[in-house]
Each structure stands twice: as structure tokens, then as C-alpha cells.
Amino acid sequence: MEKSTGNWLKRQYIELKQTLIPAHPNDSSWKKFGKQTAFFMFLTLMACGAIAMLIAVSFTH
């Protein structure tokens, strides 16, 4: 088991990134860029979904 360093949010971010989009040493620079862009778009979509859910819940309450 790895030693836990950094705060909780940073550890979760790194673990999620390594799980969803693992970096391979033989990836080209464009492939790495594409993976980073895809992960950023995924996080943006998840954040927008969470905000939309909060707005929908606030209207139904």
C-alpha cells in the first residue's frame, strides 16, 4: 500500500486519473495530450452534472 501524502482531494484526483486514463511510457506526446484533454472534459462534465442536479433539486423542493 502506498504512503498517503497530500490532501484527500489531491489523492482522489490522482487515483481517479490513474484508474480511468492510465499513462503508458510508450504513449506519444499527442496521445498523452489527448488523454489529459479527455480527462479534463470528463471532470468538467461531471461538475456540470452535479451543478445541474443541485439546481433541479432546488426547484423541486
Side-chain angles (χ1 to χ4, degrees):
M1 187 169 173
E2 293 181 13
K3 187 177 183 182
S4 58
T5 58
N7 62 12
W8 178 83
L9 187 60
K10 186 174 181 179
R11 286 194 316 264
Q12 296 302 317
Y13 170 79
I14 292 171
E15 183 179 343
L16 184 65
K17 187 173 182 181
Q18 290 174 349
T19 302
L20 292 177
I21 306 174
H24 299 292
N26 58 349
D27 285 346
S28 67
S29 59
W30 278 107
K31 182 107 176 172
K32 290 178 186 177
F33 176 73
K35 286 182 176 184
Q36 290 174 352
T37 304
F39 186 67
F40 178 73
M41 290 172 62
F42 169 74
L43 289 180
T44 303
L45 181 65
M46 293 300 285
C48 290
I51 292 169
M53 188 180 297
L54 288 173
I55 291 171
V57 167
S58 71
F59 279 119
T60 59
H61 187 274

